[in-house]
Amino acid sequence: MKPIIAPFPHARPRRARQSTAIRALVRETTVTSGDLIWPVFVRDGVNVEEPVPSMPGVMRRSVDRTVEAAKMAADLGIPAICLFPYTDPGQKNADCTEAWNPDNLCNRAIREIKDAVPGIAVMTDVALDPYSISGHDGFVENGEVVNDRTVEALVKMTLAQAEAGADIIGPSDMMDGRVGAMRTALESGGHHNVMIMSYSAKYASGYYGPFRDAIGALGALTRDKKTYQMDPGNSDEALRMIERDLTEGADMVMVKPGLPYLDICHRVKTSFGAPTYAYQVSGEYAMARAAAAHGWVDGHQVMMETIMAFKRAGCDGVLTYFAPDVAQALQNA
Ligand code: PBG
């Protein structure tokens, strides 16, 4: 499609920018609270809200406070929250058995949220890093993060989350064959409505630093995940990963991190037309907050502009720690 533009002065593109009303009328992309998924950190205890130092404004909440947060999010029109557990070091072991404990922190939070706030969709994270003593997303044997044994554990974790009432399962581990294995297990377990949002194109990124701190992953900042997460130089490979996961039964696909990989978001949406999400990760959030705290950028404007950028690139939604702030701003607008 080639846009037709009359010669000046018949065409004056500034006419379309002259007022708030006209700008609203010609705007091609809009952001609504329905585009947001809010990642939240859950910890043990009762009535606890503990700030994550590297992510100003982000908390680790006990289950009861997480339920309250879910209620607040639902009231703001946010359709989904995504749970990440901060696991007590005493519950980590080489076999990661806490990952599929039906009563682990994450599964308790799912049950309580579904009970108290049935209208909000609950998404989970499937990977072993919150539970492993290595800090890796899979089992380590002789220095190698092993694939197939890890997938078996991820399937157990998936089923425990589905039993607890999760609506969307989010495998963030980047093992091969996990989406198909999880889909098969969900179907045979009678969970045919449980969706899979695959972290299909997840890069080995420096932007995950604050998150690893937030979940208390051991060896956090030094952890090298390059044998399973993608090389930042690759783009065709991302399309192959998305295609593979869709073929294995993923209902939705994700690109992660977000802003540094907007080109990937755009290629994924135009190539497959599948429900496509970006994860604006912890480091992206921390950078925006830090610059705003210094008064170097207008925090509100930068936040809204970034979410718009994801939508404009073709994403159907965004996982973002800014979700409540964005939804609140939209409500006030
Ligand atoms: C790990 C996982 C990570 C994130 C979500 N799931 C970190 C990693 O791969 O080390 C990062 C999210 C963020 O940085 O906000 N399974």
Side-chain angles (χ1 to χ4, degrees):
M1 182 181 67
K2 195 176 176 337
I4 297 168
I5 304 179
F8 177 83
H10 294 246
R12 285 184 184 272
R14 287 187 55 194
R15 272 185 219 123
R17 303 177 200 139
Q18 63 184 289
S19 66
T20 304
I22 300 298
R23 286 192 294 274
L25 217 47
V26 300
R27 188 165 300 127
E28 298 166 38
T29 307
T30 48
V31 172
T32 74
S33 57
D35 300 323
L36 305 167
I37 299 175
W38 184 27
V40 296
F41 298 109
V42 190
R43 52 154 292 161
D44 63 359
V46 177
N47 201 20
V48 189
E49 240 175 55
E50 166 191 39
V52 177
S54 51
M55 301 177 74
V58 170
M59 306 284 170
R60 297 185 191 115
R61 297 176 170 84
S62 51
V63 171
D64 55 323
R65 289 291 194 99
T66 306
V67 172
E68 278 173 36
K71 225 174 266 162
M72 183 265 288
D75 289 344
L76 285 167
I78 295 171
I81 65 171
C82 183
L83 303 176
F84 292 97
Y86 171 84
T87 309
D88 191 271
Q91 281 167 328
K92 300 186 191 209
N93 59 40
D95 294 329
C96 301
T97 45
E98 184 63 11
W100 52 91
N101 174 357
D103 289 316
N104 72 17
L105 205 48
C106 175
N107 293 331
R108 272 188 283 132
I110 297 171
R111 272 193 212 94
E112 294 207 18
I113 294 169
K114 292 311 291 183
D115 208 37
V117 200
I120 200 159
V122 176
M123 176 169 165
T124 58
D125 187 69
V126 176
L128 298 182
D129 54 329
Y131 308 101
S132 69
I133 42 182
S134 69
H136 273 297
D137 291 17
F139 293 119
V140 181
E141 291 174 12
N142 304 320
E144 184 189 344
V145 177
V146 293
N147 196 88
D148 301 6
R149 197 181 134 221
T150 299
V151 170
E152 284 170 30
L154 299 176
V155 166
K156 288 193 249 180
M157 197 175 166
T158 299
L159 286 174
Q161 294 172 348
E163 297 294 342
D167 299 286
I168 306 169
I169 305 290
S172 71
D173 54 285
M174 287 298 276
M175 297 299 119
D176 290 325
R178 90 274 210 215
V179 173
M182 290 163 62
R183 187 75 269 167
T184 303
L186 287 169
E187 283 298 318
S188 39
H191 303 291
H192 54 270
N193 279 333
V194 173
M195 304 181 82
I196 297 176
M197 181 189 293
S198 182
Y199 290 62
S200 303
K202 176 171 177 180
Y203 287 84
S205 171
Y207 286 93
Y208 306 146
F211 171 94
R212 293 179 188 173
D213 178 29
I215 64 162
L218 301 173
L221 279 174
T222 52
R223 190 58 58 230
D224 179 342
K225 300 190 175 183
K226 293 194 182 76
T227 70
Y228 45 107
Q229 299 181 348
M230 281 179 48
D231 188 297
N234 294 352
S235 162
D236 289 340
E237 186 191 6
L239 299 191
R240 295 200 296 274
M241 293 305 94
I242 300 275
E243 182 169 4
R244 180 209 42 195
D245 286 358
L246 288 170
T247 310
E248 289 185 19
D251 302 281
M252 303 177 259
V253 292
M254 189 206 293
V255 175
K256 176 181 176 187
L259 223 39
Y261 298 88
L262 266 194
D263 56 324
I264 309 296
C265 296
H266 188 253
R267 283 191 77 188
V268 165
K269 187 61 181 181
T270 51
S271 302
F272 299 103
T276 302
Y277 300 81
Y279 197 141
Q280 181 186 32
V281 300
S282 56
E284 301 177 65
Y285 174 88
M287 290 190 329
R289 278 277 194 234
H294 278 87
W296 294 336
V297 295
D298 177 326
H300 170 80
Q301 196 179 347
V302 162
M303 170 180 82
M304 300 306 279
E305 188 177 337
T306 305
I307 307 301
M308 181 69 90
F310 290 119
K311 292 293 307 287
R312 197 185 59 236
C315 293
D316 295 285
V318 188
L319 287 93
T320 175
Y321 302 97
F322 282 119
D325 299 296
V326 171
Q328 187 71 62
L330 292 167
Q331 211 166 62
N332 297 342

